[in-house]
Amino acid sequence: MCPTTMYSVKLLLAVIGLWSLAFSSIWMCVNSLAVDEQTWTYELKNIETGSSNPEMVSFGECKLERISRGVFAVIGAIDIKYDIQEGDSNTVEFNSYRSENGKDYRPLPFKTPRQHIFDYFNTFYKDYVMDTLKDCSNFPAFEDKFEPPFERQTYYLDHCQFDQESFPQHLQEGFYKVNMSFSGDVDWYIIFVAEVQSKV
């Protein structure tokens, strides 16, 4: 568990590149709704990580720093201890949920189908995440198509900054949860929980 305070939904949507692979793929479904300034803000309540085999995937401590209103920086690391190859069984899936009280979560339509991690790299990651991560992390950066393998090493985020300018103007109050689940040689996950509030 990595509890935090005062963060912004952009992290939920952009902390995807594996760590930062997340909410941006889900919210691309509603990006076209974004206009002017948002009527909401939010506080990141929790980030939970887990691995069925820490000898293959393990997580370092994460730290969030507020840069300015609606802009935050993230520091963190994930140690991938096996090579991910083209055509193997390693897949990723994103699902989102909302709750009025932070307990009874109901599924939202914003999700991605389970797919190979490389398919994710070549679509959502490339279009929505890579430009943010290329100067502050060692996650893959490429021009045309990702070239396998995704090599074993420790991947880090070093003060990667995310804002929420490209997100919808209106968002219903409540608690939102995004579950990024990975399956294959090892099962591991990253779960984000945030409370969305209307601006006063």
Side-chain angles (χ1 to χ4, degrees), residues 1-198:
M1 303 281 287
C2 181
T4 57
T5 58
M6 283 311 300
Y7 191 51
S8 154
V9 176
K10 184 71 172 184
L11 176 63
L12 287 176
L13 311 176
V15 176
I16 294 180
L18 280 189
W19 187 276
S20 262
L21 289 172
F23 228 127
S24 59
S25 64
I26 293 171
W27 280 99
M28 69 162 222
C29 302
V30 293
N31 266 351
S32 60
L33 302 176
V35 290
D36 301 324
E37 184 180 356
Q38 288 84 3
T39 60
W40 51 270
T41 186
Y42 81 88
E43 178 179 344
L44 185 67
K45 294 296 186 179
N46 193 57
I47 299 175
E48 179 182 348
T49 61
S51 171
S52 63
N53 187 349
E55 293 186 358
M56 296 185 70
V57 174
S58 61
F59 295 89
E61 180 183 5
C62 69
K63 181 179 179 182
L64 303 168
E65 296 181 359
R66 181 174 179 175
I67 305 301
S68 61
R69 183 179 179 87
V71 180
F72 296 80
V74 60
I75 304 167
I78 177 173
D79 192 4
I80 307 290
K81 304 172 187 178
Y82 65 102
D83 293 335
I84 297 176
Q85 304 282 354
E86 189 168 13
D88 65 17
S89 62
N90 292 287
T91 60
V92 59
E93 178 182 23
F94 298 89
N95 290 284
S96 61
Y97 308 84
R98 181 184 171 275
S99 167
E100 297 259 350
N101 55 19
K103 296 179 181 179
D104 303 316
Y105 284 91
R106 295 184 177 182
L108 293 172
F110 310 115
K111 60 183 179 180
T112 64
R114 182 163 293 282
Q115 59 192 297
H116 193 274
I117 290 175
F118 294 166
D119 292 331
Y120 184 86
F121 278 161
N122 288 319
T123 54
F124 304 119
Y125 172 81
K126 181 180 179 181
D127 293 340
Y128 296 94
V129 180
M130 188 171 67
D131 282 348
T132 297
L133 298 182
K134 65 183 181 181
D135 295 325
C136 62
S137 81
N138 61 340
F139 283 101
F142 49 92
E143 292 185 3
D144 183 24
K145 187 177 180 180
F146 177 74
E147 294 293 334
F150 184 53
E151 297 180 342
R152 65 182 73 194
Q153 65 175 299
T154 299
Y155 293 90
Y156 63 84
L157 300 175
D158 185 8
H159 292 88
C160 293
Q161 292 187 28
F162 305 95
D163 61 48
Q164 61 191 63
E165 291 181 357
S166 62
F167 298 107
Q169 183 182 19
H170 303 292
L171 192 61
Q172 189 175 7
E173 287 190 323
F175 292 83
Y176 288 79
K177 177 166 65 174
V178 175
N179 185 351
M180 306 160 49
S181 62
F182 301 81
S183 297
D185 293 324
V186 58
D187 295 335
W188 48 287
Y189 65 86
I190 306 171
I191 298 173
F192 302 87
V193 176
E195 183 180 7
V196 171
Q197 299 175 329
S198 297

